[in-house]
Amino acid sequence: MNRAKDLLKSELKRKGVTYAKLAEKLAAMDIHETERNLNNKIIRRGFSVAFFLGCLAGIEVTDLRL
């Protein structure tokens, strides 16, 4: 899960998306998370694959290098 956290954080940084902006993008996809909840989930690595994929879709990641 540490790898997933690192991948998600690097993609957010690469796309220039803050947690606040991610919350907006997820809300548009009917996934409701606050900026604080996103920060807590990502810091503590407590998220599901569905959440991870939703975040990637929200920030329009189409290619992910492992």
Side-chain angles (χ1 to χ4, degrees), residues 1-12 19 22 26 31 33-34 36-56 59 64:
M1 193 60 122
N2 207 21
R3 180 92 185 245
K5 174 192 126 177
D6 293 343
L7 285 170
L8 182 53
K9 286 180 75 173
S10 67
E11 287 300 317
L12 288 168
Y19 291 145
L22 177 59
L26 290 175
I31 301 170
E33 296 284 349
T34 65
R36 185 173 184 174
N37 284 349
L38 290 171
N39 186 43
N40 288 338
K41 276 186 175 187
I42 294 169
I43 285 176
R44 74 171 197 268
R45 300 180 311 267
F47 53 84
S48 67
V49 171
F51 173 80
F52 177 72
L53 294 175
C55 289
L56 294 179
I59 60 174
L64 187 63

